[in-house]
Amino acid sequence: MTSGLWELVLQGIWVTVQLLVLSALVATAVSFVVGVARTHRLWIVRFLAGFYTEVFRGTSALIMIFWVFFVLPPAFGWQLVPMWAGTLALGLTYGAYGAEIVRGALGAVDPAQREGGIALSFTPWQRMRLILLPQAVPEMIPPFSNLLVELLKGTALVSVMGMGDLAFSGNLVRLALQESAEIYTYILLIYFVIAFLLTRVMRGLERQLKAGVGKAPRKTGTPPRRAPEGADAVKVGGGA
Amino acid sequence: MQWDWGAVADFMPHFWDGLLVTLQALALGSVISFVLGLVWALLMRAPSRFVRWPVGAVTEFIRNTPLLVQLFFLFYVLPEWNITFSALTTGVVAIGLHYSTYTMQVYRAGIEAVPVGQWEAATALNLPPRRTWTAVILPQAVRRVVPALGNYVIAMLKDTPMLMAITVLDMLGEARLFAQQNFQFTEPLTVIGVAFILISYLASVLLRALERRLVR
């Protein structure tokens, strides 16, 4: 492979990383908003949040991408730049999976904690912000880490729309060289390395967050905690 | 936003063709992933680490890389090695292989959940290892993991549209073809989007019923 082709691959990595970071931010925002809304006391809010998760988990990420690229523009008369269209489609889809994680982790917090908040006459919002979320967030990190790898794999889908991400640059190199084994092996390896780095970062984050709420692994003598529901209940694996 | 029911009517014959291909790919992909996943899970319990280590590394690699790129790999590289399959077969193999790395973990969890007493009883009855597995451990392990396997079937369903990228005319492939020929994107894409939601919802209802039957 010539250096020009490697440059193409580097650009592809850059696009993939950008897309990954942006859609991860959107997905995180969506999952917290929708996940918290599913514990709301008004049934209509719970229903709408549940409807959102069912719809976006029900469709395939690739169909969402097609929809955002082809159906939204004529329907609303405006068109998104490919990067934002991809971010929106991936963020909304994976946000629905993330919402289930958030809901599961919130449900796994000891009920006595919530009752304590009520007894101290905290408002629902204070309870969520000061009591439930700080304890639930560390439990969310392992499933979120899996979801992040799924999201990374999902970013490859935008190459179908002609966005110049890593998978797309692989196709270009294949066309240039008329030879595919080498380049696709490199592309797969690069994805694997990115996924490996992501899981490492998330593991570090988990350790830090757990230490923040006094659940550091070195501390002994604390009673064993229940596993968060979200860890197993979430059906990750879709969409990528 | 203009909605044209005529376009929907024109698309429906293509939709049924696409649905058939999607379901075929899903059924065959599921079978491959169930069988291969069990093979990986059993190999991971092999006594020698020279078996465990490579199997672990390969499955970890497949699980952490995009299915789309794996599809391209199989679709473009295998012919270079003089192995030619149809696009659909390539897609089925890729999906089955990809998801076998997930089902493998499901089987592992199921095998580990079989109580130790069962192993001890098999030893006490002097059963040979083969019979311990086929008559004692696997029937209990597999029963436990059927719901989890079903979840991966639903996940697989949502990944079948990717086959379009290697020229398979599944639901999304048919929709795209129709859209490009008639310049009507809204209707076919919406129809298959709704169809996916309905199918995966139905599948999850069926799965819950199956779960109730098995876990008793």
Side-chain angles (χ1 to χ4, degrees):
Chain A
M1 274 172 67
T2 60
S3 62
L5 292 177
W6 273 116
E7 210 169 291
L8 212 60
V9 174
L10 278 180
Q11 281 170 3
I13 297 178
W14 175 230
V15 172
T16 294
V17 169
Q18 270 179 306
L19 190 63
L20 176 70
V21 170
L22 289 174
S23 47
L25 289 177
V26 173
T28 313
V30 169
S31 31
F32 274 93
V33 169
V34 176
V36 169
R38 291 199 72 171
T39 64
H40 201 270
R41 70 209 132 83
L42 289 179
W43 72 268
I44 182 74
V45 177
R46 285 200 306 268
F47 173 79
L48 286 177
F51 185 72
Y52 174 87
T53 11
E54 283 307 315
V55 167
F56 279 82
R57 281 182 349 141
T59 43
S60 150
L62 189 56
I63 292 180
M64 273 306 295
I65 289 175
F66 265 84
W67 225 79
V68 171
F69 272 82
F70 288 125
V71 179
L72 279 191
F76 296 103
W78 40 256
Q79 187 156 15
L80 290 164
V81 222
M83 176 63 85
W84 286 110
T87 303
L88 188 68
L90 290 173
L92 290 180
T93 312
Y94 286 86
Y97 288 96
E100 288 291 280
I101 297 176
V102 171
R103 186 176 68 111
L106 283 176
V109 175
D110 193 341
Q113 296 287 331
R114 207 178 63 86
E115 288 156 12
I118 298 173
L120 293 169
S121 95
F122 279 29
T123 64
W125 171 238
Q126 282 177 323
R127 238 165 29 219
M128 185 55 74
R129 188 168 54 95
L130 299 171
I131 300 175
L132 295 178
L133 280 179
Q135 298 183 60
V137 168
E139 303 296 340
M140 295 174 198
I141 299 298
F144 264 136
S145 167
N146 290 340
L147 192 60
L148 196 58
V149 174
E150 294 297 329
L151 179 58
L152 168 70
K153 287 156 63 182
T155 58
L157 297 178
V158 296
S159 66
V160 175
M161 305 274 61
M163 245 182 93
D165 77 325
L166 188 50
F168 190 75
S169 70
N171 288 352
L172 289 182
V173 174
R174 175 180 62 81
L175 290 173
L177 293 181
Q178 295 297 319
E179 198 273 333
S180 27
E182 189 190 349
I183 179 62
Y184 281 125
T185 310
Y186 285 135
I187 298 286
L188 285 172
L189 279 173
I190 295 169
Y191 273 113
F192 184 69
V193 169
I194 301 177
F196 181 76
L197 292 177
L198 286 178
T199 39
R200 272 299 138 103
V201 169
M202 291 298 271
R203 213 170 289 166
L205 188 67
E206 187 196 357
R207 210 169 302 140
Q208 226 168 23
L209 284 174
K210 284 209 168 153
V213 288
K215 284 174 180 171
R218 59 195 143 72
K219 276 195 181 172
T220 50
T222 48
R225 284 170 298 107
R226 284 176 295 143
E229 264 175 57
D232 301 318
V234 175
K235 301 148 189 172
V236 185
Chain B
M1 183 172 183
Q2 65 286 14
W3 180 264
D4 181 5
W5 282 108
V8 176
D10 290 343
F11 175 60
M12 280 327 266
H14 302 283
F15 170 79
W16 296 119
D17 292 347
L19 181 65
L20 192 67
V21 173
T22 296
L23 292 180
Q24 267 177 346
L26 181 64
L28 295 173
S30 307
V31 171
I32 295 182
S33 74
F34 290 169
V35 174
L36 212 52
L38 186 59
V39 172
W40 298 139
L42 292 178
L43 284 179
M44 283 301 279
R45 297 187 66 97
S48 159
R49 73 192 135 108
F50 293 105
V51 176
R52 285 198 310 264
W53 197 84
V55 171
V58 167
T59 51
E60 189 76 8
F61 184 79
I62 294 175
R63 190 167 45 237
N64 283 307
T65 49
L67 174 57
L68 188 66
V69 182
Q70 292 167 4
L71 278 169
F72 286 144
F73 188 97
L74 292 182
F75 190 64
Y76 293 114
V77 175
L78 288 187
E80 280 175 14
W81 297 340
N82 289 325
I83 310 169
T84 39
F85 290 133
S86 72
L88 181 60
T89 317
T90 313
V92 165
V93 170
I95 288 190
L97 185 64
H98 190 82
Y99 275 92
S100 72
T101 61
Y102 287 92
T103 53
M104 147 194 180
Q105 293 182 316
V106 172
Y107 283 121
R108 195 203 58 201
I111 292 170
E112 280 170 7
V114 175
V116 195
Q118 301 286 328
W119 288 97
E120 290 164 355
T123 313
L125 292 169
N126 208 11
L127 292 181
R130 195 189 174 80
R131 206 144 147 67
T132 309
W133 278 105
T134 54
V136 181
I137 304 301
L138 285 182
Q140 300 183 62
V142 170
R143 200 180 164 85
R144 257 170 247 252
V145 299
V146 165
L149 290 178
N151 285 336
Y152 282 114
V153 173
I154 298 178
M156 231 181 287
L157 167 74
K158 287 180 274 182
D159 273 358
T160 51
M162 269 185 230
L163 298 189
M164 175 218 71
I166 56 166
T167 74
V168 174
L169 282 177
D170 71 319
M171 281 208 273
L172 184 58
E174 289 279 1
R176 191 168 77 148
L177 192 67
F178 182 86
Q180 283 166 350
Q181 282 167 353
N182 301 289
F183 299 105
Q184 279 171 311
F185 284 88
T186 311
E187 290 83 3
L189 287 176
T190 310
V191 166
I192 59 164
V194 173
F196 262 97
I197 297 176
L198 287 181
I199 298 174
S200 49
Y201 183 73
L202 273 180
S204 63
V205 170
L206 272 177
L207 194 64
R208 242 169 285 157
L210 186 70
E211 202 174 330
R212 266 198 301 275
R213 263 184 75 100
L214 281 175
V215 184
R216 261 197 306 210

